[in-house]
Amino acid sequence: MTYFWYIWTLETSFGIGGSVLAWLKSFLSDRQQAIFLNGVTSAFHSVVCSVPQGSFLGPLLFLFYTADCIKTPRCCRVHSYTDDTQLYASCSTTDGSTSAAQLLRCITDIADWVTSNRLKLNAEKTQFIWLGSSYYTASVSRLPLSVGSSTVSRRHCTEPRCEV
């Protein structure tokens, strides 16, 4: 995301203005970076997007940036903490396949949002977990779930353990 769009979003979606917005513009604009490798520093190049890594504002600005992501799925509930997002839904034993299909649509919606906002969804870290009694998790549908070309790993959790 270019910093121009980011500043516009902070102003229009979150009501940030005045001296705070001016300070954020100053913080995000006119930045340059270089690469230091094997004792050699590359030429400096302008950075027109992203937030400086390791900055104290980075996590907060990331939350502002990704706030629209948690509005994306309408078929499940969402919980987010920094760059970790959980989707969840509850269902009866007869609605397991329907619930899994809804969660798959949510994952697809979020994957589309992530791609359109120049981020990357780490499909290898994406997991799908069924929680319930051993009877329920044994009877639930084995609907395959995927993010892009990667299959989502599945776990079935019963008290007191989880199985892959």
Side-chain angles (χ1 to χ4, degrees):
M1 162 187 320
T2 65
Y3 96 89
F4 296 108
W5 187 89
Y6 193 67
I7 293 298
W8 178 82
T9 301
L10 290 172
E11 190 172 18
T12 59
S13 296
F14 298 101
I16 296 173
S19 59
V20 173
L21 189 65
W23 185 78
L24 286 169
K25 282 180 185 177
S26 173
F27 178 72
L28 294 171
S29 64
D30 300 322
R31 292 182 297 121
Q32 293 189 335
Q33 71 180 14
I35 297 171
F36 182 77
L37 181 66
N38 295 329
V40 178
T41 303
S42 70
F44 280 83
H45 295 277
S46 294
V47 178
V48 296
C49 61
S50 82
V51 173
Q53 287 186 350
S55 68
F56 66 97
L57 282 178
L60 179 62
L61 292 174
F62 182 78
L63 289 175
F64 281 133
Y65 180 63
T66 58
D68 284 345
C69 179
I70 64 171
K71 297 176 189 173
T72 300
R74 292 179 176 87
C75 53
C76 59
R77 294 186 175 146
V78 180
H79 176 261
S80 237
Y81 182 77
T82 60
D83 64 346
D84 187 25
T85 301
Q86 296 89 35
L87 307 174
Y88 57 97
S90 60
C91 63
S92 69
T93 55
T94 58
D95 288 339
S97 294
T98 302
S99 188
Q102 288 176 336
L103 286 170
L104 181 56
R105 279 194 299 277
C106 289
I107 291 170
T108 301
D109 289 347
I110 286 179
D112 291 345
W113 183 93
V114 163
T115 300
S116 69
N117 284 277
R118 297 181 179 183
L119 294 172
K120 182 178 186 270
L121 181 66
N122 190 340
E124 289 76 34
K125 289 186 177 180
T126 302
Q127 292 185 338
F128 182 79
I129 303 173
W130 282 113
L131 302 172
S133 69
S134 56
Y135 173 77
Y136 173 69
T137 59
S139 66
V140 89
S141 170
R142 301 288 186 204
L143 179 68
L145 298 171
S146 61
V147 175
S149 61
S150 299
T151 300
V152 176
S153 64
R154 180 188 316 266
R155 301 179 84 181
H156 294 272
C157 295
T158 59
E159 200 56 45
R161 63 182 183 9
C162 291
E163 299 172 4
V164 177

